């Protein structure tokens, strides 16, 4: 079972990212769903204090509205999560197939994630209604680094225990 996961996780994550990037903003919009599942704008008191500089402007509840701001946060978290998963899947596959040293696998996983993130932004450039941003590549890479910083020490500890 673990072998199947290690082999197929990377293509599954890559295809998932590709599918999301193939959709226009309108197709992906979470705002209608957020209106339904979060009536009355819960957490507005907390969220109204957050301002995020992004693409030359400030993104906040005040500038975007509650539901659009919440959607922005969810979308950016999705970048962190999906590209973190991509990096972990690549690291795991490299360690399984190539049996390389951990620093090499981390380096290659980061480079591979960066390349895929750049290609993903290019894909968004040729997809209608999408805006490719270098800031999103940096966000994707941040997700990859966070995931690897959390996972690699756990991997190394488990490897020592099992040997």
């Amino acid at each position: 079972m673990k072998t199947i996961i290690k082999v197929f996780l990377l293509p599954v994550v890559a295809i998932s990212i590709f599918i999301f990037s193939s959709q226009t903003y309108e197709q992906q919009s979470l705002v209608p769903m957020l209106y339904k599942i979060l009536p009355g704008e819960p957490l507005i008191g907390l969220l109204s204090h957050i301002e995020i500089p992004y693409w030359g402007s400030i993104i906040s509840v005040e500038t975007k509205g509650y539901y659009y701001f919440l959607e922005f946060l969810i979308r950016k978290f999705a970048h962190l999560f999906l590209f973190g998963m991509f990096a972990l899947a690549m690291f795991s596959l490299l360690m399984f197939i190539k049996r390389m040293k951990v620093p090499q696998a981390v380096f290659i996983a980061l480079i591979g994630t960066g390349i895929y993130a750049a290609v993903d932004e290019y894909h968004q450039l040729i997809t209608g209604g999408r805006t490719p941003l270098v800031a999103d590549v940096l966000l994707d890479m941040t997700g990859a680094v966070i995931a690897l910083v959390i996972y690699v020490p756990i991997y190394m500890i488990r490897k020592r225990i099992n040997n």
Side-chain angles (χ1 to χ4, degrees), residues 17-147:
I17 291 168
F18 181 83
I19 290 169
F20 286 127
S21 292
S22 297
Q23 298 173 332
T24 65
Y25 173 80
E26 291 76 23
Q27 290 171 317
Q28 272 189 353
S29 181
L30 301 172
V31 173
M33 180 188 65
L34 292 172
Y35 271 106
K36 288 178 185 173
I37 65 171
L38 298 171
E41 300 180 350
L43 303 174
I44 194 162
L46 175 69
L47 295 176
S48 64
H49 298 292
I50 301 171
E51 293 183 344
I52 301 170
Y54 189 75
W55 202 39
S57 62
I58 298 295
I59 307 296
S60 67
V61 170
E62 183 180 331
T63 62
K64 299 292 278 181
Y66 176 79
Y67 294 104
Y68 287 92
F69 179 67
L70 194 55
E71 179 188 51
F72 173 82
L73 293 177
I74 292 168
R75 284 174 173 267
K76 297 311 159 188
F77 176 78
H79 273 269
L80 289 170
F81 178 77
L82 285 171
F83 282 90
M85 289 299 298
F86 186 92
L88 291 180
M90 184 172 272
F91 173 82
S92 294
L93 188 62
L94 290 167
M95 294 305 294
F96 175 70
I97 292 175
K98 293 287 187 176
R99 304 224 188 268
M100 58 180 56
K101 295 183 180 184
V102 169
Q104 282 180 303
V106 168
F107 179 75
I108 293 170
L110 286 173
I111 295 299
T113 302
I115 291 169
Y116 195 75
V119 168
D120 179 59
E121 290 303 310
Y122 175 75
H123 180 227
Q124 289 183 36
L125 173 69
I126 60 176
T127 300
R130 298 298 298 267
T131 307
L133 298 171
V134 172
D136 282 346
V137 174
L138 296 175
L139 188 62
D140 300 338
M141 291 306 297
T142 301
V145 169
I146 290 169

